[in-house]
Structure formats: C-alpha cells, structure tokens
Amino acid sequence: MAGEKSTALGQGAPGLLRGLALPAWLCGLAFAAALLAVFQYALRAHVPGELEPGGFTLQNFVAQAHPLYIGVFWDTLLLCAGTAILSLLAGYPLAWAILRTRSRLARSMILAIVITPLFLGEIVRTYGWIVVLGNSGFLNAALAWLGLGRAEMLFTTGGVLAALVHVTLPIVVIMLAAGLAHIEPELERAAQSLGATPARGFFTVTLPLSLPGILAAGTTAFAWTFSAFATPQLVGGGKVNMISNLVYQLGFASFNFPFAAALAVSGLALTAVSLAALSLVTRRVEQRL
Amino acid sequence: MAVEALRLDGVTRRFGAVTALHGASLVVAPGEFVTLLGPSGCGKTTLLNLVAGFQTPDEGEIFLGGESVTRVPVWKRDIGMVFQSYALFPHMNVAENVAYGLRARGMPKVEAMGRVAEALRMVRLSGLEDRRPRQLSGGQQQRAALARALVIRPRILLLDEPFSALDRALRGGLQVEVREIQRAAGVATLFVTHDQHEALAMSDRIAVMSGGRIHQVGTPEEVYARPADRFVAGFVGDATVLRGRLRGLMGGTAGIEVGQAVLEADAAPLRGLSQGAPVDAFLRPETLSPGGPALLSGEVRSVVFQGGHVDVHLACAEAAGGRAVARLAPMLASGLAAGSVLELAGPSRCAAFPAEEPA
Ligand SMILES: Nc1ncnc2c1ncn2[C@@H]1O[C@H](COP(=O)(O)OP(=O)(O)OP(=O)(O)O)[C@@H](O)[C@H]1O
Ligand SMILES: [Mg+2]
C-alpha cells in the first residue's frame, strides 16, 4: 500500500518532489548523525582530564541509579507534569475567552498578552521573572507594602514552576483554542434548553468534547518543558535542577561528556515513554468520542 | 379553554442601533402549530431566542402557560428546542442524547430509559439507541433531535428552520411527519421558516414578519386570500399587481376599477382613501383564466410545466414590473408557446392596497 502510494506521488510531481527529497535526506542524515554521536559518547568511558573518551562501557547508565540522579529525574517529571497541568488550568479559560468573546478588542488584547511571550525569547522572559520574584523584586515589594513580610520565591520550585508555566502558556492556549474551535456553540445552548445549568452543560458537554484538545496541549506542554534549560538554570539558581541543568553541569563544568551524554539519552527515553503513555490515553479518549 | 401556551406582549429587542423586534405580540394556544414566516433578517430567530430565554427583551413580557418567564433563565423554562444544525451531542449515543434533559431534571436512570424508549418509538427511531449521531442520516438526526426536545414534555416546542439542512426530496416527507408527531404529542409549537410553501403546508396559523414587525397573524387560507397589507400579499404566494382606482366603499367591500373591469376587494386596507384614489390590485395566478372579458393581455414569455398545473409568464405593460403570471390547468395551456399573445380574464374578488406611489 505505502509503496503504491509513493510511486503514485512520484509520478504526479516527479521533478519537484525528487528535487526536494535530496535536501530532506541530507537534513535527516545530519540530525541522525548528531544523535548517533551522543549515543556513542554515552557508551564510552570517561577518562579524567581528557576530552576524548575511552573504551566501551555501560558504567554511565549504571551510575545513574544513584539517588541523586534519580531524584533529579523525578523532580523533572514532577515539574513537567506540574507545568502541563497549571498551564492547562490557566490556558483553558483564556482559550475559551478568545473563542467566545463577542468583543473584538477583548479578543485582540487576550491574544496579544498570551502570544507576546512567544516572541520575547526564553532568556528575556526568565530575567523578567528574576525581577518579579527576587528578594527586592516586584512581588516582595508588594508583599512588604501590604505588611505581609517577605517570601522566598527566587531559587524555589514554586518560582521555577511559575516561570515554566509562563513559557509554556502560549503554546497551550493556541493548541487549546484550535481544539475548542471544533465545538459548536449550539451544543452548549442545546444543553441549557434541555434544562442543564451552564455549569452542568460545561461538565457534561463542553469538557468531554474538549478532552482531545486538552490531552494534545498537555502532552506538548509536558514534552516542551522536559527540554527547558535557561528557566530552571536562572530562576532555579542551582537549587532547583532539571535533567538539562545536570547535563550542562556534567558536560561543561566537569567535562564528563560520556556521563552527560548518557543522562541526555535517559532523558530522551523517559520523554519517549511518557509521550507513548499519553498518546495511548489520547487514543482511548478519541475512540470514545 | 385552557390558558394559552405562549403569550408575547409588546416584545421589543434591540441590538445597538438595530431594532430586531418591534413590540411583537403573539399568542399560541395549547397544541397549536404557529409558524413565523418572513425574509432573512426580519427577526424570526430573535423572537425564538427570546421565547427560549437565550436573550431578554428590552421591553414587553413573555408568558409560558400563563406564567411570566421574562426574567427566567433558559434552563428553568421547560422548553424544547430543535436547532438548525440539530446540535446532537456527538459524544453521546442516541439514547443518551434523548435522556439528557430528563437526567438534567434529576430523573433516575431506569425511569428515564423508559421515557426515552417511548419517545424514540414516537419518532420511529427504535433500535438505533446505541448509534452515535454521526452514524445517522440527516432525517434520522432530525428525528433524534425532535425526540430529545419532546421527551421532557416541554411547555412549548421551538423549531428554527429545521429542514434547511435537508435536500428537497426529504423535506416534504419530514414536514408531514413532524406535523404528525407534533399533533400526537399535543405540544404547542413555534416554527421558524422563510419558505412560504413550508409555512402554508404545515401551520395552524402563520405570523408573517418583516423588518422586526409582525404584519399579520392568520390561518394559511386567511394569509393567502386576505393579506393584511402589501408586504404580506407580495411575500406569501405569487401575484400580478395591476394599478386601478377606488370606485367606492360599501360596508366591508370596496369596488376597484381596473381598466374596463370592476373588482371587489376587502375594504379594511383602503379605509380613508377618497374616491378615485389610485390602488394596487393583487391577483393570484390561479384566479386568472384565458378568455374574456380581458382584464389583461400580454405576450407569453415562458410556459413552465409544474406537473399538476402550468405557470404562464407574460410580458404585460399594465402590470407592475411589466410581468404577469397565470396558473392554468395543463389542458388549457397546451396550445401556448413563447411569443403568442394571451388574453386573461380576472376574478371577481382580489386583494387591494393603496398605491405605493401616485399614478
Ligand atoms: N447578536 C446580534 N447582534 C447584533 N445584531 C443582531 C444579533 N442577532 C440578530 N441581529 C440583527 O437582528 C436582525 C434580526 O435577526 P434574526 O437573526 O432574528 O433574523 P432571522 O429572521 O432569523 O433571519 P434568517 O432568516 O436569516 O435567519 C438582523 O438585522 C440581525 O442582523
Ligand atoms: Mg434565523
């Protein structure tokens, strides 16, 4: 089947497709080679004081069984899940408002506020959060003014979580809005005409129909956060670490490239397993719809 | 007689500068099927949404079963609504869809399922309980939506252009069927359409609307044969319009001179006009017949065979717009071809209104 299809396509637009196929293959090869390089580093021994690794070993993976590393993996998973859930909770009403507001002005304002962070770049946004969360930052100044004292926010898990949610929110809102746009507004009206309060209509009609969009956005937020680096690095300040920060420390502070590579491979595997589990759930849900 | 199912008292609804509904008053009796008929944008959906409670009136009161519901939210009004797109819940099967309103009212599942089965039998969908809406044909979806709206035994059934998504062949059958189901359920119904044939075929009474106003409320026969004003006469059914003069008013009847002929018309719309004032006579196509004395004559433009009858379109200088149309039995039209000249005799009675601009 697949073979027939590709020949049919090849006959349809032979010149153009063949012309594009070569650069596509080259790009793919380059990506695969980079990944392979990481893999082969992960399977070689670290020679202290040398940049060039030694012979084949599985030691880099065995060593990860240490509670220290398992702890970072676990924290990373929790931060990813937390970020996904919080940005879904914050993003759902925003996506809803964008779709259902009658006022054009309100729609444009929400879109602007939600989407702008996407164009700011991670570093700028993260410094923004340092200014907001710092000991003499905006939030603490506000707390002090209210006479509530100061709170430790910078370099805490909560602070990192807030910054990660901010980074993820635009994508979540865009994906949720795309999913919610498929739900006919008449369905909510039908539920109300049948005697359901708006709340009941939401939980029995709107929410179930939003599930595919919620799962897609949540999955993306989860995977997106897994690769976060600058945010936990700067807002976490070494006290809150994710896998990427550990990889950075081992690779560029200790120059233990093989172990850094092995951690990266494990992180990739963990992402893949999590995504597979989520997509299984998504498929179940979509079958029921 | 029992209290009226629905009563609107001077209901007005504005959207900014647009007044979608001007002081509309209407009564629907228990079990009655009333149609809102009018061109696009005349306020039909607005009126229906006000009855349903999706909007609140700026002025006026709405009563269901004698009780004012003007400030009652949709979900407490006990209405049944069928939407243009049916709005069946895609993640529920037919039985769950139909049970939705009963469950929202807190009815236990077992009891609800009994009522659902009964409603599905009524719309002849028994056996399709487990299907999802997308696995139903258009007509079946329509009947499922009808069952869902009827199973809660609503105080009024509201239908907004429920046939517009269906092809012509299916419509006729469903019109008859919906009317039979409605009659069996004995539910007062407000039906919206811009299709005059649909309105004439289905309704106990028709409310003809335009520009946010209800122009006339009457049985299909009344609206067709005794239109209250020019708009109704022009919108419901075809008509040839001839300019004439008012000869005089006698009781409820007016005499109209059109050329050499004298026609009778309802006097009500012409009160206040002086003798000799210009009036427009509206002639239904089936009241025109070949022969003399000729009321009008013209060159045949086209002969359109319609099965049971033939529509003959004439170019006619004395008619408004230069066009006239006659509906003849196929036998009478057999010799006619485009280009031939046809003389038509008129009826003794027609509808007439003050001329729009002085002759
Ligand atoms: N939400 C709204 N905001 C502003 N104007 C509206 C709104 N709803 C309706 N209108 C206006 O009110 C008038 C009546 O609209 P309505 O939808 O009731 O017409 P309708 O008779 O149902 O027409 P159609 O046959 O096209 O459905 C129109 O001029 C319309 O533009
Ligand atoms: Mg409408």
Side-chain angles (χ1 to χ4, degrees):
Chain A
M1 268 304 273
E4 281 170 22
K5 230 182 202 164
S6 63
T7 30
L9 257 179
Q11 282 162 358
L16 183 69
L17 275 187
R18 223 163 281 155
L20 287 176
L22 186 65
W25 272 109
L26 284 178
C27 282
L29 270 179
F31 284 137
L35 217 65
L36 268 178
V38 173
F39 270 104
Q40 66 102 6
Y41 262 103
L43 293 171
R44 290 170 69 180
H46 173 53
V47 185
E50 297 269 339
L51 280 182
E52 191 56 30
F56 174 84
T57 178
L58 287 176
Q59 188 51 39
N60 295 323
F61 287 96
V62 176
Q64 287 177 32
H66 191 280
L68 176 75
Y69 301 119
I70 293 178
V72 175
F73 274 113
W74 181 241
D75 287 349
T76 305
L77 279 181
L78 286 186
L79 273 170
C80 290
T83 305
I85 290 168
L86 287 179
S87 40
L88 283 174
L89 286 177
Y92 194 91
L94 286 171
W96 198 245
I98 288 171
L99 283 178
R100 291 291 146 87
T101 182
R102 292 240 181 88
S103 141
R104 256 177 205 213
L105 183 71
R107 192 187 351 259
S108 315
M109 297 266 286
I110 300 169
L111 264 174
I113 291 169
V114 170
I115 307 301
T116 323
L118 208 53
F119 303 115
L120 279 181
E122 204 182 344
I123 304 286
V124 176
R125 269 186 291 183
T126 303
Y127 274 113
W129 277 100
I130 291 177
V131 171
V132 170
L133 298 174
N135 268 338
S136 45
F138 167 74
L139 272 180
N140 268 323
L143 283 179
W145 185 77
L146 289 170
L148 295 172
R150 287 182 186 284
E152 199 68 37
M153 284 178 287
L154 199 58
F155 311 141
T156 63
T157 310
V160 172
L161 201 55
L164 285 174
V165 168
H166 185 226
V167 172
T168 322
L169 200 57
I171 292 95
V172 167
V173 170
I174 293 171
M175 290 190 70
L176 279 177
L180 294 179
H182 293 297
I183 304 176
E184 263 188 83
E186 275 201 347
L187 294 177
E188 294 158 46
R189 288 155 45 92
Q192 288 181 25
S193 80
L194 290 164
T197 59
R200 189 188 173 99
F202 175 79
F203 285 111
T204 54
V205 176
T206 314
L207 193 60
L209 290 174
S210 331
L211 269 184
I214 290 175
L215 283 168
T219 306
T220 308
F222 186 91
W224 180 272
T225 308
F226 216 100
S227 62
F229 171 71
T231 304
Q233 184 78 11
L234 297 174
V235 181
K239 291 189 187 157
V240 183
N241 283 312
M242 294 178 70
I243 298 292
S244 54
N245 308 118
L246 206 56
V247 170
Y248 176 78
Q249 279 167 31
L250 284 164
F252 296 96
S254 320
F255 293 105
N256 187 345
F257 285 150
F259 195 56
L263 277 173
V265 169
S266 300
L268 204 62
L270 199 57
T271 316
V273 170
S274 314
L275 290 187
L278 278 171
S279 86
L280 208 68
V281 175
T282 306
R283 208 163 314 144
R284 279 275 167 78
V285 166
E286 270 167 3
Q287 267 166 12
R288 292 199 35 228
L289 286 183
Chain B
M1 209 184 93
V3 284
E4 56 246 343
L6 168 71
R7 172 182 210 95
L8 282 101
D9 266 350
V11 173
T12 295
R13 170 71 179 153
R14 298 185 193 93
F15 295 104
V18 181
T19 304
L21 211 58
H22 291 270
S25 295
L26 182 69
V27 169
V28 178
E32 195 183 21
F33 192 106
V34 173
T35 296
L36 303 174
L37 172 67
S40 183
C42 71
K44 307 180 295 288
T45 299
T46 301
L47 198 157
L48 213 63
N49 281 335
L50 286 164
V51 174
F54 290 118
Q55 296 171 11
T56 34
D58 294 306
E59 284 160 34
E61 288 276 316
I62 300 168
F63 301 87
L64 284 176
E67 174 199 337
S68 171
V69 295
T70 316
R71 302 268 167 307
V72 174
V74 183
W75 55 94
K76 289 185 185 155
R77 284 200 183 185
D78 276 328
I79 51 148
M81 187 146 181
V82 175
F83 294 82
Q84 195 167 349
S85 64
Y86 314 135
L88 292 167
F89 305 127
H91 59 303
M92 300 180 192
N93 63 27
V94 170
E96 288 163 343
N97 261 284
V98 177
Y100 190 90
L102 300 174
R103 304 288 289 148
R105 283 164 174 74
M107 185 182 282
K109 204 163 194 166
V110 183
E111 196 185 340
M113 281 309 154
R115 287 270 291 272
V116 168
E118 183 190 318
L120 287 176
R121 213 175 307 123
M122 186 152 152
V123 299
R124 297 193 293 106
L125 279 184
S126 303
L128 300 184
E129 287 85 352
D130 296 328
R131 294 260 190 106
R132 286 293 168 84
R134 62 161 182 273
Q135 298 169 312
L136 299 177
S137 72
Q140 287 170 333
Q141 288 182 24
Q142 161 111 80
R143 297 204 302 257
L146 197 57
R148 185 177 70 173
L150 286 175
V151 75
I152 59 175
R153 298 186 184 147
R155 294 198 275 196
I156 189 154
L157 179 66
L158 306 171
L159 304 150
D160 193 354
E161 311 225 14
F163 302 118
S164 60
L166 300 171
D167 57 76
R168 249 175 189 290
L170 210 55
R171 271 191 215 184
L174 271 166
Q175 285 168 11
V176 174
E177 195 169 352
V178 164
R179 196 58 230 269
E180 280 170 2
I181 293 167
Q182 181 266 343
R183 216 170 259 136
V187 61
T189 301
L190 201 55
F191 175 86
V192 163
T193 183
H194 57 251
D195 179 340
Q196 45 156 315
H197 301 291
E198 202 163 274
L200 292 170
M202 294 183 74
S203 319
D204 289 325
R205 286 189 305 145
I206 300 174
V208 186
M209 298 177 64
S210 103
R213 291 176 203 278
I214 297 180
H215 284 242
Q216 183 176 10
V217 185
T219 63
E221 295 80 4
E222 281 167 0
V223 167
Y224 186 77
R226 279 185 283 128
D229 59 27
R230 286 187 79 95
F231 172 77
V232 178
F235 189 75
V236 182
D238 298 319
T240 300
V241 184
L242 293 180
R243 180 57 54 89
R245 292 187 176 284
L246 182 63
R247 197 177 208 210
L249 296 168
M250 266 239 286
T253 304
I256 313 276
E257 269 178 30
V258 179
Q260 307 301 315
V262 176
L263 308 181
E264 285 182 342
D266 213 5
L270 301 173
R271 291 210 189 284
L273 288 188
S274 53
Q275 199 169 353
V279 295
D280 283 332
F282 283 68
L283 307 166
R284 294 298 182 199
E286 65 278 2
T287 63
L288 300 174
S289 52
L295 179 64
L296 58 101
S297 68
E299 191 185 302
V300 175
R301 280 274 184 75
S302 59
V303 180
V304 184
F305 184 63
Q306 301 274 23
H309 62 262
V310 174
D311 282 342
V312 182
H313 297 266
L314 306 172
C316 171
E318 56 269 43
R323 306 175 57 83
V325 57
R327 190 156 296 159
L328 309 179
M331 248 175 57
L332 292 174
S334 59
L336 289 175
S340 55
V341 171
L342 183 63
E343 291 199 329
L344 292 167
S348 57
R349 205 177 167 93
C350 66
F353 306 98
E356 231 164 22
E357 67 260 24

